[in-house]
Amino acid sequence: MPTDIIYLCLSHPRNSQDLRLVYIYFETYFVILGFEKPSAIQQRGIVPFTKGLDVILQAQSGTGKTSTFCLGILQQLHYNVVECQVLVLTPTCELA
Ligand SMILES: Nc1ncnc2c1ncn2[C@@H]1O[C@H](COP(=O)(O)OP(=O)(O)OP(=O)(O)O)[C@@H](O)[C@H]1O
C-alpha cells in the first residue's frame, strides 16, 4: 500500500477496526483499478467520503475527482440491500 495512503488514514483515525477495513478497501480498489498511488484530490477526498461527511471537491479535469467520489461511495454501500442507495447528479451533458 502506498505510504501516503497509510499516512492519510492515520491522520484521520476513527478506530483500529475501521482503519483496518479502510486499508483493505484502498489496497483492493487501487490494485483492481491499476493505480499506483492516489492523486492529490484522492488523497484529500476519499477518507472524508468514507466517514460520511459532506464533501465538496474542486480540481482540474482528469485529476481523479470521479474516482474519488466513486471509491468513497463504494465504501458507503450496504451490499446486502437491493435498492437504490446512490444518486449522482452531473451538471452537463458532457459528464452524464
Ligand atoms: N490515482 C490514479 N492513478 C492513475 N490513474 C488514475 C488515478 N485516478 C484516476 N485515474 C485515471 O485518470 C483518468 C481521469 O480520472 P477521473 O475521471 O476520475 O478524473 P476527473 O477529475 O473526474 O475528470 P473530469 O473532470 O474530466 O471528469 C481516468 O482514466 C482514471 O482511471
Side-chain angles (χ1 to χ4, degrees), residues 66-91:
T66 304
S67 334
T68 301
F69 77 73
C70 286
L71 290 171
I73 286 170
L74 286 171
Q75 293 203 50
Q76 294 290 314
L77 292 179
H78 298 285
Y79 291 97
N80 56 340
V81 175
V82 187
E83 61 185 38
C84 182
Q85 298 179 56
V86 178
L87 175 63
V88 178
L89 302 176
T90 62

Side-chain angles (χ1 to χ4, degrees), residues 30 33-42 59-69 71 95:
F30 272 74
L33 295 171
F35 299 168
E36 291 183 5
K37 59 174 288 192
S39 65
I41 196 75
Q42 291 163 347
Q60 291 180 318
S61 181
T63 52
K65 298 183 299 294
T66 304
S67 334
T68 301
F69 77 73
L71 290 171
L95 294 176

